[in-house]
Amino acid sequence: MIRVDSRTRLCCLLGDPVTHSVSPQMHNAAFSHLELNFCYMAFRVVRRELPSAVEGVRALGIRGFNVTVPHKVEIIPLLDEVDETARKISAVNTVLNKDGRLIGFNTDGAGFIKAVGEDRIRGKNAVMIGAGGAARAIAFSLAGRCRSLTILNRTSRKAVALAGEVERTTGCRIMGLGLSSEEAGEALRRCELLINSTIVGMYPDVSRTIIDNNLINPGMVVFDAVFNPAETRLLREARLRGAYTVSGLEMLVHQGAEAFKIWTGAEPPLEVMREAAVGALKSYGTGEA
Ligand code: ATR
């Protein structure tokens, strides 16, 4: 049980909407497990209120916060410092209040790497489908690790733009293509690591999948950034075809664990956080996880 007293340190989430976030349950379970005098709350902050919310963090001495849609980019000029990874990605999802200085981090990329595992990424021909918000941190983390990266997107110009941006920032050769282009088919045939960063397959549209299951072979590693449901149709079909599958729930837990480390300095209790995240999804009545 969390006991709030006059010494309790607050962490929070700033986003809009925040009602289906699992971060409060995940972090509070971890604080409680380690008996840390911390507490986590979710605050809905509309765009125009973001500067006042950040001032509020400073005024109240809030220990740290997560940033989610739609503030991950707009938060940057409001901070005192942004670490190198977050600067490269141009998005912040975690902020630490270090003696009044607000420092921005991005733990999404590290969360992705930890979820999939370095060994399953290094030297692989990777294909990522999607070029939206969730794709950015993943693309920057893949660059320099995998052998090749091809970004496929329904709207091809967004794939080309993200590929160009990652290429310029990291110096790695990255292709951006339309999802239904002929070259996309070729990239998928060579693919050893497949990533879905689109919202296709997310609750309530759980019967949808982003690619034909014939394109999945048993040697593939398949990651789906969707975490609700924990096993999407894509992952189920990949598993049944003998591929190694990783759920977006793992990335969610690991990005949270990295944030937890930044705020508390303590080793995050991963299993406790995972269980809390699964329970939270169930409690919202949307998670079959
Ligand atoms: P997020 O922040 O969750 O990544 P987003 O920035 O809106 O959300 O990006 C959604 C991604 O899912 C985009 O890559 C989008 O493709 P477009 O850029 O063409 O819109 C992709 N997406 C959404 N619905 C899709 C669908 N039905 N088929 C294929 N891709 C889809």
Side-chain angles (χ1 to χ4, degrees), residues 69 129-136 152-159 179 196-200 202 208-210:
V69 176
I129 308 177
R136 291 187 67 82
L152 307 179
N153 197 47
R154 178 177 62 179
T155 312
S156 64
R157 83 184 143 71
K158 286 198 210 161
L179 180 56
N196 174 40
S197 74
T198 75
I199 53 172
V200 175
M202 188 189 286
R208 297 173 64 209
T209 185
I210 194 72

Side-chain angles (χ1 to χ4, degrees), residues 37-230:
N37 195 354
F38 277 71
C39 177
Y40 190 106
M41 299 269 300
F43 296 121
R44 176 178 175 232
V45 176
V46 296
R47 273 182 199 275
R48 68 172 185 286
E49 295 292 355
L50 184 65
S52 332
V54 172
E55 280 315 298
V57 165
R58 292 182 193 276
L60 299 175
I62 287 173
R63 173 63 175 167
F65 58 97
N66 282 132
V67 188
T68 189
V69 176
H71 305 313
K72 285 187 177 189
V73 176
E74 283 76 6
I75 189 80
I76 292 176
L78 304 173
L79 303 175
D80 301 306
E81 211 178 299
V82 174
D83 98 317
E84 202 190 317
T85 308
R87 207 167 339 113
K88 238 198 264 175
I89 302 171
S90 298
V92 161
N93 81 324
T94 301
V95 176
L96 171 70
N97 183 351
K98 194 176 177 196
D99 306 320
R101 281 183 68 73
L102 299 186
I103 309 169
F105 300 87
N106 190 308
T107 68
D108 288 330
F112 165 74
I113 301 293
K114 294 222 159 154
V116 178
E118 287 273 359
D119 294 353
R120 294 190 189 91
I121 298 172
R122 290 246 171 235
K124 296 274 172 71
N125 291 315
V127 173
M128 179 175 70
I129 308 177
R136 291 187 67 82
I138 296 176
F140 278 97
S141 307
L142 285 169
R145 283 189 167 85
C146 51
R147 184 189 317 163
S148 72
L149 172 59
T150 307
I151 302 175
L152 307 179
N153 197 47
R154 178 177 62 179
T155 312
S156 64
R157 83 184 143 71
K158 286 198 210 161
V160 173
L162 180 59
E165 191 184 333
V166 179
E167 195 169 270
R168 276 192 302 281
T169 315
T170 62
C172 299
R173 178 91 187 89
I174 298 163
M175 290 273 283
L177 298 167
L179 180 56
S180 46
S181 66
E182 217 168 279
E183 300 102 302
E186 276 163 40
L188 285 166
R189 275 187 289 281
R190 276 198 322 274
C191 172
E192 297 163 293
L193 169 60
L194 177 69
I195 291 134
N196 174 40
S197 74
T198 75
I199 53 172
V200 175
M202 188 189 286
Y203 179 89
D205 294 322
V206 297
S207 64
R208 297 173 64 209
T209 185
I210 194 72
I211 60 160
D212 192 309
N213 68 3
N214 291 324
L215 289 160
I216 299 165
N217 65 56
M220 261 188 190
V221 174
V222 181
F223 171 81
D224 198 334
V226 170
F227 58 83
N228 187 13

